[in-house]
Amino acid sequence: MSGKAGDLPERAGGPEDEGSPPPPGADEIPEYAERVLGVAELIPPGRVMTYGDVAEWLAGEEPPTPSSGASPGAGGGRRVGGPRQVGRVMALYGGAVPWWRVVRADGQLLPGSELRAMAHYQEEGTPLREAPRSAEGHIPRLDMRRARWDGRDPGAPG
């Protein structure tokens, strides 16, 4: 990963971020965003983690030592965010990583990106649940019980 926001080929983009540029002054990807994107890159093909899973993973990392000079909330520190912060990072910077592997906990596909995500899921063999006939557009959901990855051995079932 290069570390420059301008080097990203595409954004994952959520509905609220459609067409919006990165935040003002975002020449460098924030350190927290780099960490989120790093976790997304670890998720094996055919598996997923929720936004909350990624946030928990990052919360389990060792915090900085006082001598490191990093202070929480100072922009460069090892801040820990929640699912919404992970979603925001993926919306702004996720185009350079397998964004389709970081998902909602209910297995619903990202609105506005369903077809792009579905193509990836089908290519990777990600477990899906058939959509009920009453579902809008009959778009399948992820089978979270089978597709969810807990961060252990990439080849082992979750």
Side-chain angles (χ1 to χ4, degrees):
M1 205 171 317
S2 68
K4 296 281 187 189
D7 294 340
L8 300 177
E10 66 177 81
R11 293 179 17 203
E16 73 281 356
D17 297 312
E18 204 77 54
S20 63
D27 294 344
E28 294 286 326
I29 296 176
E31 192 267 343
Y32 182 74
E34 286 279 0
R35 292 171 52 224
V36 168
L37 299 177
V39 173
E41 289 178 324
L42 295 174
I43 304 168
R47 305 303 296 275
V48 298
M49 288 180 90
T50 68
Y51 298 115
D53 292 340
V54 173
E56 280 185 40
W57 176 298
L58 294 174
E61 291 183 348
E62 280 205 27
T65 61
S67 62
S68 71
S71 61
R78 289 176 80 68
R79 288 184 307 149
V80 176
R84 288 178 188 236
Q85 288 78 17
V86 170
R88 183 74 175 156
V89 166
M90 293 305 295
L92 291 174
Y93 307 108
V97 299
W99 55 267
W100 59 92
R101 296 182 192 151
V102 182
V103 301
R104 294 171 45 145
D106 65 2
Q108 184 177 341
L109 306 189
L110 181 66
S113 298
E114 298 97 331
L115 296 179
R116 290 187 324 160
M118 185 60 67
H120 291 290
Y121 297 139
Q122 290 171 336
E123 180 181 321
E124 295 181 358
T126 307
L128 300 169
R129 288 186 10 223
E130 285 302 314
R133 291 179 191 234
S134 62
E136 186 177 328
H138 303 289
I139 305 249
R141 287 186 179 213
L142 292 159
D143 184 339
M144 294 302 293
R145 195 180 89 252
R146 294 178 28 226
R148 200 170 195 168
W149 185 57
D150 63 6
R152 287 186 250 166
D153 178 20

